[in-house]
Amino acid sequence: MDDRITLRLARYRPEEEAEPTFEEYEVPCRKDWVVLDGLNYIKDQLDGTLSFRWSCRMGICGSCGMTVNGEPKLTCETFLTDYAPGPVRIEPLQNFPVIRDLIVEMTDFMQKLTTIKPWIVRDEERPLAEGEYRQTPDEMSEYMQYSMCINCMLCYAACPVYSLDPKFIGPAAIALAQRYNLDSRDEGSGERLDILSQHEGIWACTFVGECTEVCPKDVDPAGAIQRYKLDAALTSLKSFLLPWGAR
Amino acid sequence: MRAAIAIAETNPRLRVAVVSKVYPMRSHTVSAEGGAAGVIAADDSLDEHAYDTISGGDWLCDQDAVDEFVKEAPQELLRLEHWGCPWSRTPEGRIAVRAFGGMQKKRTWFAADKTGFHMLHTLFQTSLKYTSVVRYDEWFVTKLLVDDGRVQGVVAIELMSGKIQPILAKAVILCTGGCGRVFPFTTNASIKTGDGMALAYAAGAPLKDMEFIQYHPTGLPFTGILITEAARAEGGWLLNKDGYRYLQDYNLGTPEPEPVLRSMELGPRDRLSQAFVKEVEKGRAIDGPYGAVVHLDLRHLGRQVIDAKIPFVRELCQKYQNIDPVKELIPVRPVIHYVMGGVHTDIDGATPLAGLYAAGEVACVSINGANRLGSNSLPELLVFGARAGRAAAEYASTQTDPNSSLLAQAEDERRRLERDFLHKTDGAERLATIRTEMQETMEQGAGIYRSGEGLTRAADRLRELQERFRNVAMQDSSRTFNTELTAVLELSFMLDVAESIVHCALRREESRGAHQRTDFTGRDDERFLAHSLNYRNSDGSSRVEYLPVTITRWLPGERVYGR
Ligand SMILES: Cc1cc2nc3c(=O)[nH]c(=O)nc-3n(C[C@H](O)[C@H](O)[C@H](O)COP(=O)(O)OP(=O)(O)OC[C@H]3O[C@@H](n4cnc5c(N)ncnc54)[C@H](O)[C@@H]3O)c2cc1C
Ligand code: SF4
Ligand code: FES
């Protein structure tokens, strides 16, 4: 007989109820089961109406972020046994509007993503015939860490600034802007600095570093923000000293 | 994504809708680890890549398509470099390449062991700069709209609101990926349910070579998480319970301490997975809690190589298996990974149905034949995604606006979804039970080794399951993000795809590549040097026809590995 564990799930069905409620389900607590396995067990065996997102179940697609016992987690790599004997409280990610049950709306992030121009910007594109851009392993390591973001939104759920000011462009978007800024093939950092500096929120970031702490992919968005602030301060200093616009 | 960019570049006046049931950067390409093949090394040649692909595919590849593929792959990979893909580099800053199974030269580009992740995010992020590309994120397609013999759009559910709506178009490109989820144990994500194949089949386009399903030799037990072939390319060994490199007993070469291309652990996937079954039969595998396994040994590579070249492998093993490959053996077993077959297309991604194109794993061009070589699929997405995009753009530029009669069809589809699922109150069968039984049926009947008897039984059981599916019980009648509705539609797609696999497998009375029959053990070029084409008849039954393979330069020969 398997051990069992109780999952206390936030449920919200907007067509039926005005407020989220909690429901409890008992699921097997097996050694190799992650929280997501528990949720699928509920959906398949106990209650087909439960809704949540998932896909790869190997921590790379970024779909399955939820709040587990108060902390933002990828549920496909969070083991049930770590919470034994339970109960485990599972809620949608904080700081986002809830669409239903454990599913949050992230349209806002998708729009922000486009505004920071997350693509290689060049004055002149290199013809294919000239082969690859040379980029040494050292040059790569400048931006590599910031390119590992899976857009899982855990950092937004943990961010105290975003919770107060949803206009704040947020940790992952800034990290991605830095990913391109620091890429030796890119020439768009000026444009991106202008865009980011329009977002007041960034100066409100206090470097508490919650984003970096919860990030499952070690992206270190807090470091990216810090670096951005330095660059931005330098640039505005320069434009102050060289008002004719050298950048 | 590649197709969308190609359309935007071919004709910026066309409006492109990218419809996806998950946010595009969550598509399953994100999980691909190992790499993407394209000839760049000085000692390599297009002909060698073509030959490896064709012999790897047991001569079922169309050689004209393979020629185009190997020629364009390096260009496409380079284009991705220009778009920002962080390909791993040599110390001088040039593109680095690694070895891969079945390839005689090092030609696999890689971004550490997160190649698919970086490719997908690069493509997605680059696509954001094209303003003519409009995304329908989290819209689930349920039907292709066909009128006047032309595909002119789709019906889709907007998941957030539950709205069921037509999206009309002058041309449709299916890029919906594979169908690994018809089997119980797979590396494939939950979204890989063969939707595009079933949609095309229902609309009248044939499915090609569906019997060829690839097992990857090294998946983690229980989760099915893939341990990439790159682990063997970097020098990993496969060991049986006696610590013996058993592949030497299966005509795959002799063991050397260093990896040898096209030999032993770097043989093709079909042969390695078949060797596993034989090892189990000989009682030389290891018993694990989830059935028999063998061991993948990376210990001799050392921490440095593992952390530099295959860090994700270490992360996955530590996280999901509680094992550190630097010090311990990894338990692995074959796992369903890829489908060689798919919607029949020509070299420009066009299906026989006007206005319908397909590219990626959903399509069968065919360059993969009876067994795909590792690292050929990712470049296939780029090469044929771009070709399909260009061809569809040209076609769409010459078409008139879609007929308004399609709206009536879309209305019918909405009523069907409501009647059969959303408003359904009767029904006694549990969705998950039918799904599990389908998956077990497929594993038992259409696994690594198949027989006429087993396949006939599987076909009968699938028929039965189709019947029982009509009696499925629905608990969720709400509109907002109804994932029971998507799950039931995915199940209906999978049942159709499963039947297609079994029907094609039953008729192919020979053994070739990934299709091994215990009752027809040899390859039979006389009868079966041909693609299976599976059509849906108007009464709903299915028929299989054959189409000769295009052979240009390489006559069918013996597949030789390790010599
Ligand atoms: C774990 C793993 C590792 C791999 N490693 C490698 C490797 O190293 N090298 C290599 O060459 N190949 C590799 N492969 C194979 C390769 O990754 C896949 O064949 C390829 O990524 C498939 O891409 P695709 O674009 O065809 O489909 P996907 O990336 O699966 O995308 C399908 C898209 O279609 C959408 N879709 C599907 N159905 C619907 C619907 N009904 N309505 C709306 N949208 C829909 C989905 O939302 C998704 O966006 C690997 C595969 C796996 C599983
Ligand atoms: S930075 Fe980290 S936590 Fe934030 S979205 Fe990216 S991967 Fe998730
Ligand atoms: S399911 Fe993909 S990250 Fe968890």
Side-chain angles (χ1 to χ4, degrees), chain A residues 15 32 43-45 48 51 53-55 57-58 61-63 76-77 79 100 103 118 126 128 131-135 149-151 179-180 185 217, chain B residues 26 33 78-79 81-82 84-85 89 93-95 117 125 129 138 186 189-190 222-223 290 315 319-320 430 435 475-476 478-481 483:
Chain A
E15 293 158 55
D32 28 25
K43 179 143 190 89
D44 289 348
Q45 307 301 333
S51 276
R53 292 189 180 106
W54 69 291
S55 178
R57 57 91 181 81
M58 53 190 278
C61 78
S63 311
C76 71
E77 49 178 51
F79 285 82
R100 166 175 182 170
I103 299 176
R126 184 186 176 90
L128 279 187
E132 75 263 45
Y133 294 98
R134 293 288 185 97
Q135 190 170 64
C149 171
I150 61 174
N151 300 349
R179 174 252 174 272
Y180 281 97
R185 296 167 287 188
K217 296 289 139 187
Chain B
R26 316 231 186 270
E33 299 168 22
L78 188 61
R79 185 166 287 124
E81 194 275 332
H82 287 199
C85 189
R89 305 279 175 157
R94 312 213 67 131
I95 300 291
F117 165 81
Q125 288 159 11
K129 77 177 177 198
E138 301 197 318
T186 174
S190 65
F222 176 59
T223 55
Y290 298 98
E315 182 188 327
K319 213 171 266 169
Y320 291 97
R430 191 187 286 283
R435 190 172 57 211
Q475 297 178 305
D476 194 347
S478 64
R479 296 283 169 159
T480 317
F481 229 110
T483 52

Coordinates of all heavy atoms in Angstrom, one line a residue, chain A residues 15 32 43-45 48 51 53-55 57-58 61-63 76-77 79 100 103 118 126 128 131-135 149-151 179-180 185 217, chain B residues 26 33 78-79 81-82 84-85 89 93-95 117 125 129 138 186 189-190 222-223 290 315 319-320 430 435 475-476 478-481 483:
Chain A
E15 N -17.1 30.8 -14.1 CA -18.5 30.8 -14.5 C -19.4 30.4 -13.3 O -20.6 30.5 -13.4 CB -18.6 29.8 -15.7 CG -17.9 30.3 -16.9 CD -17.6 29.1 -17.9 OE1 -18.5 28.4 -18.3 OE2 -16.4 29.0 -18.2
D32 N 9.1 8.6 -6.5 CA 9.5 9.4 -7.7 C 8.4 10.3 -8.3 O 8.5 10.8 -9.4 CB 10.0 8.5 -8.8 CG 9.5 7.1 -8.7 OD1 8.3 6.9 -8.2 OD2 10.1 6.1 -9.2
K43 N -6.7 14.7 -11.9 CA -7.4 15.0 -13.1 C -7.9 13.7 -13.8 O -9.0 13.6 -14.3 CB -6.5 15.8 -14.1 CG -7.3 16.1 -15.4 CD -6.9 17.4 -16.0 CE -7.8 17.8 -17.1 NZ -9.0 18.5 -16.8
D44 N -7.0 12.7 -13.8 CA -7.4 11.4 -14.5 C -8.4 10.5 -13.6 O -9.2 9.9 -14.2 CB -6.2 10.6 -14.8 CG -5.3 11.2 -15.9 OD1 -5.8 12.2 -16.5 OD2 -4.2 10.8 -16.1
Q45 N -8.2 10.5 -12.3 CA -8.9 9.5 -11.5 C -10.0 10.1 -10.7 O -11.0 9.5 -10.3 CB -7.9 8.8 -10.6 CG -6.8 8.1 -11.3 CD -7.2 7.1 -12.4 OE1 -8.3 6.5 -12.3 NE2 -6.4 7.0 -13.4
G48 N -12.1 15.4 -13.2 CA -11.7 15.8 -14.5 C -11.9 17.3 -14.8 O -11.4 17.8 -15.8
S51 N -8.1 22.2 -13.7 CA -7.3 22.7 -14.8 C -6.0 23.3 -14.4 O -5.9 24.0 -13.4 CB -8.1 23.8 -15.6 OG -9.0 23.3 -16.5
R53 N -1.7 23.9 -16.3 CA -0.9 23.8 -17.5 C 0.3 22.9 -17.3 O 0.9 23.0 -16.2 CB -0.3 25.2 -18.0 CG -1.3 26.2 -18.4 CD -0.5 27.4 -19.0 NE -1.3 28.4 -19.5 CZ -1.4 29.6 -18.9 NH1 -0.8 29.8 -17.7 NH2 -2.2 30.6 -19.4
W54 N 0.7 22.1 -18.3 CA 1.9 21.4 -18.2 C 2.2 20.9 -19.6 O 1.4 20.8 -20.4 CB 1.9 20.2 -17.2 CG 1.0 19.1 -17.6 CD1 -0.3 19.1 -17.7 CD2 1.4 17.8 -18.0 NE1 -0.8 17.8 -18.1 CE2 0.3 17.0 -18.3 CE3 2.7 17.1 -18.2 CZ2 0.3 15.7 -18.7 CZ3 2.7 15.8 -18.6 CH2 1.5 15.1 -18.8
S55 N 3.5 20.5 -19.8 CA 3.8 19.9 -21.1 C 5.0 19.0 -21.0 O 4.9 17.8 -21.1 CB 4.0 21.0 -22.2 OG 4.4 20.3 -23.4
R57 N 7.3 18.1 -18.7 CA 7.6 17.5 -17.4 C 9.1 17.1 -17.3 O 9.5 16.1 -16.7 CB 6.6 16.3 -17.1 CG 6.5 15.1 -18.0 CD 7.5 14.0 -17.7 NE 7.4 12.9 -18.6 CZ 7.9 12.9 -19.8 NH1 8.6 13.9 -20.3 NH2 7.7 11.8 -20.6
M58 N 9.9 18.0 -17.8 CA 11.3 17.9 -17.5 C 12.0 19.2 -17.3 O 13.2 19.5 -17.5 CB 12.1 17.1 -18.6 CG 11.8 17.6 -20.0 SD 12.5 16.5 -21.3 CE 14.2 16.9 -21.3
C61 N 10.1 23.5 -20.4 CA 9.1 24.3 -21.2 C 8.5 25.5 -20.5 O 8.0 26.4 -21.1 CB 8.0 23.4 -21.7 SG 6.7 23.0 -20.5
G62 N 8.6 25.5 -19.2 CA 8.2 26.6 -18.4 C 6.7 26.8 -18.2 O 6.2 27.8 -17.7
S63 N 5.9 25.7 -18.4 CA 4.4 25.8 -18.3 C 3.9 25.7 -16.9 O 2.8 26.2 -16.6 CB 3.7 24.7 -19.1 OG 4.2 24.6 -20.4
C76 N 6.8 20.2 -12.0 CA 7.3 19.0 -12.6 C 8.6 18.6 -12.0 O 9.2 17.6 -12.3 CB 7.4 19.1 -14.1 SG 8.6 20.2 -14.7
E77 N 9.2 19.5 -11.2 CA 10.5 19.1 -10.6 C 10.4 19.3 -9.0 O 11.5 19.5 -8.4 CB 11.7 19.8 -11.2 CG 11.6 21.3 -11.4 CD 12.8 21.9 -12.0 OE1 13.3 21.4 -13.0 OE2 13.3 22.8 -11.4
F79 N 9.2 17.5 -5.7 CA 8.8 16.1 -5.3 C 7.9 16.1 -4.1 O 8.0 16.9 -3.2 CB 10.1 15.3 -5.0 CG 10.8 14.9 -6.2 CD1 11.7 15.7 -6.9 CD2 10.5 13.7 -6.8 CE1 12.3 15.4 -8.0 CE2 11.1 13.3 -8.0 CZ 12.0 14.2 -8.6
R100 N -8.3 30.5 -14.3 CA -9.1 29.4 -13.7 C -8.2 28.5 -12.9 O -7.1 28.3 -13.3 CB -9.7 28.6 -14.9 CG -10.3 27.3 -14.4 CD -11.0 26.6 -15.5 NE -11.5 25.3 -15.0 CZ -12.3 24.5 -15.6 NH1 -12.7 24.9 -16.8 NH2 -12.8 23.4 -15.1
I103 N -4.4 28.2 -13.3 CA -3.9 28.8 -14.5 C -4.0 30.3 -14.4 O -5.0 30.9 -14.2 CB -4.7 28.4 -15.7 CG1 -4.6 26.8 -15.9 CG2 -4.3 29.1 -17.0 CD1 -5.4 26.3 -17.0
P118 N 13.8 41.5 -28.3 CA 14.7 40.4 -28.0 C 15.1 39.7 -29.3 O 14.7 38.5 -29.5 CB 13.8 39.5 -27.1 CG 12.4 39.7 -27.7 CD 12.4 41.2 -28.1
R126 N 24.8 40.6 -41.7 CA 25.9 40.0 -42.3 C 25.4 39.0 -43.4 O 24.5 38.2 -43.1 CB 26.7 39.2 -41.2 CG 27.9 38.5 -41.6 CD 28.4 37.7 -40.4 NE 29.6 36.9 -40.6 CZ 30.8 37.3 -40.5 NH1 31.0 38.6 -40.0 NH2 31.8 36.5 -40.7
L128 N 25.0 35.7 -45.5 CA 25.2 34.3 -45.1 C 26.5 33.8 -45.7 O 27.3 33.0 -45.1 CB 24.1 33.4 -45.6 CG 22.8 33.3 -44.8 CD1 21.9 32.2 -45.4 CD2 23.1 33.0 -43.3
G131 N 29.7 33.5 -43.7 CA 29.8 32.5 -42.6 C 29.4 33.1 -41.3 O 28.7 34.1 -41.2
E132 N 29.8 32.4 -40.2 CA 29.3 32.7 -38.9 C 30.1 34.0 -38.3 O 31.2 34.3 -38.8 CB 29.5 31.6 -37.9 CG 30.9 31.3 -37.4 CD 31.6 30.2 -38.3 OE1 31.6 30.2 -39.5 OE2 32.3 29.3 -37.6
Y133 N 29.4 34.7 -37.4 CA 30.1 35.7 -36.6 C 31.1 34.9 -35.7 O 30.8 33.9 -35.1 CB 29.2 36.4 -35.7 CG 28.1 37.3 -36.4 CD1 26.9 36.8 -36.6 CD2 28.5 38.6 -36.8 CE1 25.9 37.6 -37.2 CE2 27.5 39.4 -37.4 CZ 26.2 38.9 -37.6 OH 25.3 39.7 -38.2
R134 N 32.3 35.4 -35.6 CA 33.2 34.8 -34.6 C 32.8 35.2 -33.2 O 32.5 36.3 -33.0 CB 34.7 35.2 -34.9 CG 35.3 34.8 -36.1 CD 35.6 33.3 -36.1 NE 36.3 33.0 -37.3 CZ 37.6 32.9 -37.4 NH1 38.4 33.1 -36.3 NH2 38.2 32.6 -38.5
Q135 N 32.7 34.2 -32.4 CA 32.4 34.5 -31.0 C 33.1 33.5 -30.1 O 32.9 32.3 -30.2 CB 30.9 34.4 -30.8 CG 30.4 34.9 -29.4 CD 28.9 35.1 -29.3 OE1 28.2 34.0 -29.4 NE2 28.4 36.3 -29.2
C149 N 16.7 31.5 -19.7 CA 15.4 31.8 -19.2 C 14.3 31.0 -19.9 O 14.2 31.0 -21.1 CB 15.0 33.2 -19.2 SG 13.3 33.6 -18.8
I150 N 13.4 30.2 -19.2 CA 12.4 29.5 -19.8 C 11.0 30.1 -19.7 O 10.0 29.5 -19.9 CB 12.3 28.0 -19.1 CG1 12.0 28.1 -17.6 CG2 13.6 27.3 -19.4 CD1 11.8 26.7 -17.0
N151 N 11.0 31.4 -19.3 CA 9.8 32.2 -19.2 C 8.7 31.5 -18.3 O 7.5 31.5 -18.6 CB 9.1 32.4 -20.6 CG 10.1 33.1 -21.5 OD1 11.1 33.7 -21.1 ND2 9.7 33.2 -22.8
R179 N 20.6 39.8 -22.1 CA 21.1 38.7 -22.9 C 21.5 39.2 -24.3 O 22.6 38.8 -24.9 CB 20.1 37.6 -23.0 CG 20.4 36.4 -23.9 CD 19.6 36.5 -25.2 NE 20.0 35.5 -26.2 CZ 21.0 35.7 -27.1 NH1 21.7 36.8 -27.1 NH2 21.3 34.7 -28.0
Y180 N 20.7 40.0 -24.9 CA 21.1 40.5 -26.3 C 22.1 41.7 -26.2 O 23.0 41.7 -27.0 CB 19.8 41.0 -27.0 CG 19.1 39.8 -27.6 CD1 18.0 39.2 -27.0 CD2 19.5 39.2 -28.8 CE1 17.4 38.0 -27.5 CE2 18.9 38.0 -29.3 CZ 17.8 37.5 -28.6 OH 17.2 36.4 -29.2
R185 N 27.4 39.9 -31.1 CA 26.8 40.0 -32.4 C 25.8 41.2 -32.5 O 25.4 41.5 -33.6 CB 26.1 38.7 -32.8 CG 27.1 37.6 -33.0 CD 26.3 36.2 -33.1 NE 25.7 35.8 -31.8 CZ 25.1 34.7 -31.6 NH1 25.1 33.8 -32.6 NH2 24.6 34.3 -30.4
K217 N 16.4 28.1 -13.2 CA 17.4 27.9 -14.2 C 18.7 28.8 -14.0 O 19.5 29.0 -14.9 CB 16.9 28.3 -15.6 CG 15.7 27.4 -16.0 CD 16.2 26.0 -16.4 CE 15.3 24.9 -15.8 NZ 15.8 23.5 -16.0
Chain B
R26 N 6.9 27.2 -25.6 CA 6.7 26.0 -24.9 C 6.6 24.7 -25.8 O 6.4 23.6 -25.3 CB 5.5 26.1 -24.0 CG 5.3 27.4 -23.3 CD 5.0 27.2 -21.8 NE 4.7 28.4 -21.1 CZ 5.6 29.2 -20.5 NH1 6.9 29.0 -20.6 NH2 5.2 30.3 -19.8
E33 N 17.8 18.0 -27.0 CA 19.0 18.3 -26.3 C 20.2 18.3 -27.2 O 21.0 19.2 -27.2 CB 19.1 17.2 -25.2 CG 18.0 17.2 -24.2 CD 18.0 15.9 -23.3 OE1 19.0 15.3 -23.1 OE2 16.9 15.7 -22.7
L78 N 23.3 28.2 -40.1 CA 24.0 29.5 -40.1 C 23.1 30.7 -39.9 O 23.4 31.6 -39.2 CB 24.8 29.6 -41.4 CG 25.8 30.7 -41.5 CD1 26.9 30.5 -40.4 CD2 26.5 30.7 -42.9
R79 N 22.0 30.6 -40.6 CA 21.0 31.7 -40.5 C 20.6 31.9 -39.0 O 20.5 33.0 -38.5 CB 19.8 31.5 -41.4 CG 18.8 32.6 -41.4 CD 17.8 32.4 -42.6 NE 18.4 32.7 -43.9 CZ 18.3 31.8 -44.9 NH1 17.8 30.6 -44.7 NH2 18.9 32.1 -46.1
E81 N 22.4 31.2 -36.5 CA 23.5 31.8 -35.8 C 23.4 33.3 -36.0 O 23.6 34.0 -35.0 CB 24.8 31.2 -36.4 CG 26.0 31.5 -35.6 CD 26.7 32.9 -35.8 OE1 26.5 33.4 -37.0 OE2 27.3 33.5 -34.9
H82 N 23.1 33.8 -37.2 CA 23.0 35.2 -37.4 C 21.8 35.8 -36.6 O 21.8 37.0 -36.3 CB 22.8 35.5 -38.9 CG 24.1 35.3 -39.6 ND1 24.3 35.8 -40.9 CD2 25.2 34.6 -39.3 CE1 25.5 35.5 -41.3 NE2 26.1 34.7 -40.4
G84 N 21.1 34.8 -33.7 CA 21.5 34.9 -32.3 C 21.6 33.5 -31.5 O 21.9 33.5 -30.4
C85 N 21.3 32.4 -32.2 CA 21.4 31.1 -31.5 C 22.8 30.9 -30.9 O 23.8 31.1 -31.6 CB 21.1 30.0 -32.5 SG 20.9 28.4 -31.7
R89 N 31.0 26.8 -29.4 CA 32.1 27.2 -30.2 C 33.4 26.5 -29.9 O 33.6 25.9 -28.9 CB 32.3 28.7 -30.0 CG 31.1 29.6 -30.1 CD 30.8 30.0 -31.5 NE 29.6 30.7 -31.6 CZ 29.3 31.5 -32.7 NH1 30.2 31.7 -33.7 NH2 28.2 32.2 -32.7
G93 N 36.4 30.5 -31.6 CA 35.2 31.2 -31.8 C 34.4 30.8 -33.1 O 33.4 31.4 -33.5
R94 N 34.8 29.6 -33.6 CA 34.0 29.1 -34.8 C 33.0 28.1 -34.2 O 33.0 27.7 -33.1 CB 34.9 28.4 -35.8 CG 36.1 29.2 -36.1 CD 36.5 29.0 -37.5 NE 35.6 29.5 -38.5 CZ 35.9 30.3 -39.5 NH1 37.1 30.6 -39.7 NH2 35.0 30.6 -40.4
I95 N 32.0 27.7 -35.1 CA 31.0 26.7 -34.8 C 31.7 25.4 -34.4 O 32.5 24.9 -35.2 CB 30.0 26.5 -35.9 CG1 29.3 27.8 -36.3 CG2 29.1 25.4 -35.6 CD1 28.3 28.3 -35.3
F117 N 16.0 24.0 -27.1 CA 15.6 25.1 -26.3 C 16.2 26.4 -26.9 O 15.4 27.4 -27.1 CB 16.2 25.0 -24.9 CG 16.1 26.2 -24.0 CD1 15.0 26.6 -23.4 CD2 17.3 27.0 -23.9 CE1 14.9 27.8 -22.7 CE2 17.2 28.2 -23.2 CZ 16.0 28.6 -22.6
Q125 N 11.9 34.5 -30.6 CA 12.2 35.9 -30.3 C 12.4 36.7 -31.6 O 12.0 37.8 -31.7 CB 13.4 36.0 -29.4 CG 13.1 35.5 -27.9 CD 14.3 35.1 -27.1 OE1 15.4 35.3 -27.5 NE2 14.0 34.5 -25.9
K129 N 9.9 40.3 -34.3 CA 10.2 41.6 -35.0 C 9.4 41.7 -36.3 O 9.4 42.8 -36.9 CB 11.7 41.7 -35.3 CG 12.3 40.9 -36.4 CD 13.8 41.3 -36.5 CE 14.4 40.4 -37.6 NZ 15.8 40.3 -37.5
E138 N -2.3 29.8 -27.3 CA -3.3 29.0 -26.5 C -4.7 28.9 -27.3 O -5.7 29.1 -26.7 CB -3.4 29.4 -25.1 CG -2.1 29.3 -24.4 CD -2.1 29.4 -22.9 OE1 -2.9 30.2 -22.3 OE2 -1.4 28.6 -22.2
T186 N 7.2 7.4 -23.1 CA 7.8 8.3 -24.2 C 8.5 9.5 -23.7 O 8.3 9.9 -22.6 CB 6.6 8.7 -25.2 OG1 7.2 9.7 -26.1 CG2 5.5 9.5 -24.4
A189 N 6.4 15.3 -24.8 CA 5.6 16.1 -23.9 C 4.1 15.7 -24.1 O 3.7 15.1 -25.0 CB 5.8 17.5 -24.2
S190 N 3.4 16.2 -23.1 CA 1.9 15.9 -23.1 C 1.2 16.4 -24.3 O 0.1 16.0 -24.7 CB 1.3 16.5 -21.8 OG 1.4 17.9 -21.9
F222 N 10.5 5.0 -15.7 CA 9.3 5.8 -15.1 C 9.0 7.1 -15.9 O 8.0 7.2 -16.5 CB 9.5 6.0 -13.6 CG 8.4 6.9 -13.1 CD1 7.1 6.5 -13.1 CD2 8.6 8.1 -12.5 CE1 6.0 7.2 -12.6 CE2 7.6 8.9 -12.0 CZ 6.3 8.5 -12.1
T223 N 9.9 8.1 -15.8 CA 9.6 9.4 -16.4 C 9.7 9.4 -17.9 O 9.0 10.1 -18.6 CB 10.5 10.5 -15.9 OG1 11.8 10.1 -16.2 CG2 10.4 10.7 -14.4
Y290 N 10.7 -0.5 -12.6 CA 9.8 -0.2 -13.7 C 10.2 -1.1 -14.9 O 10.1 -0.7 -16.1 CB 9.8 1.3 -14.1 CG 9.3 2.2 -13.0 CD1 10.2 2.8 -12.2 CD2 8.0 2.3 -12.8 CE1 9.8 3.6 -11.1 CE2 7.5 3.1 -11.8 CZ 8.4 3.8 -10.9 OH 7.9 4.5 -9.9
E315 N 22.1 17.2 -14.6 CA 21.0 17.8 -13.9 C 19.8 16.9 -13.8 O 19.2 16.7 -12.8 CB 20.7 19.2 -14.5 CG 19.6 20.0 -13.9 CD 19.2 21.2 -14.7 OE1 20.1 21.8 -15.4 OE2 18.0 21.6 -14.7
K319 N 18.2 15.2 -10.5 CA 16.9 15.6 -10.1 C 15.9 14.5 -10.1 O 15.2 14.3 -9.1 CB 16.5 16.7 -11.0 CG 15.6 17.7 -10.4 CD 15.3 18.9 -11.3 CE 16.3 20.1 -11.1 NZ 16.2 21.1 -12.1
Y320 N 15.9 13.7 -11.2 CA 14.8 12.8 -11.4 C 15.2 11.4 -11.0 O 14.3 10.5 -10.8 CB 14.2 12.8 -12.8 CG 13.5 14.1 -13.1 CD1 14.2 15.1 -13.8 CD2 12.2 14.3 -12.7 CE1 13.5 16.3 -14.1 CE2 11.5 15.5 -13.0 CZ 12.2 16.5 -13.7 OH 11.5 17.6 -13.9
R430 N -14.4 6.4 -18.6 CA -13.4 7.3 -18.1 C -12.4 7.6 -19.2 O -11.8 6.7 -19.8 CB -12.8 6.8 -16.9 CG -12.0 7.9 -16.1 CD -11.2 7.3 -15.0 NE -12.0 6.9 -13.8 CZ -12.5 7.8 -13.0 NH1 -12.2 9.1 -13.1 NH2 -13.2 7.5 -12.0
R435 N -7.6 6.1 -22.7 CA -6.2 6.5 -23.1 C -5.2 5.5 -22.7 O -4.3 5.1 -23.5 CB -5.9 7.9 -22.5 CG -4.7 8.5 -23.1 CD -4.5 10.0 -22.6 NE -4.5 10.1 -21.2 CZ -5.0 11.1 -20.5 NH1 -5.5 12.1 -21.1 NH2 -5.0 11.1 -19.2
Q475 N -17.1 15.6 -17.5 CA -17.5 16.2 -16.2 C -17.5 17.7 -16.3 O -18.1 18.4 -15.5 CB -16.4 15.8 -15.1 CG -16.4 14.3 -14.8 CD -15.4 14.0 -13.8 OE1 -14.2 14.3 -13.9 NE2 -15.8 13.3 -12.7
D476 N -16.8 18.2 -17.3 CA -16.6 19.7 -17.3 C -17.3 20.3 -18.5 O -17.0 20.1 -19.6 CB -15.1 20.0 -17.5 CG -14.7 21.4 -17.2 OD1 -15.6 22.3 -17.1 OD2 -13.5 21.7 -17.0
S478 N -17.8 23.7 -18.6 CA -17.5 25.1 -18.6 C -16.7 25.5 -19.9 O -16.1 24.7 -20.5 CB -16.8 25.6 -17.3 OG -15.6 24.9 -17.3
R479 N -16.6 26.8 -20.1 CA -15.9 27.3 -21.3 C -14.5 27.7 -21.0 O -13.6 27.5 -21.8 CB -16.6 28.6 -21.8 CG -18.0 28.3 -22.3 CD -18.0 27.7 -23.7 NE -19.3 27.2 -24.1 CZ -19.7 26.9 -25.3 NH1 -18.8 27.1 -26.3 NH2 -20.9 26.5 -25.6
T480 N -14.3 28.3 -19.8 CA -13.0 28.9 -19.5 C -11.9 27.8 -19.3 O -12.1 26.9 -18.5 CB -13.1 29.6 -18.2 OG1 -14.3 30.4 -18.2 CG2 -11.9 30.6 -18.0
F481 N -10.9 27.9 -20.1 CA -9.8 27.0 -20.1 C -10.2 25.5 -19.7 O -9.8 25.0 -18.7 CB -8.7 27.5 -19.1 CG -7.4 27.5 -19.7 CD1 -6.7 28.6 -20.0 CD2 -6.7 26.3 -20.0 CE1 -5.4 28.6 -20.6 CE2 -5.5 26.2 -20.6 CZ -4.8 27.4 -20.9
T483 N -9.7 22.1 -19.9 CA -8.6 21.2 -20.3 C -9.1 19.7 -20.4 O -8.4 18.8 -20.9 CB -7.4 21.2 -19.3 OG1 -7.9 21.1 -18.0 CG2 -6.6 22.5 -19.5

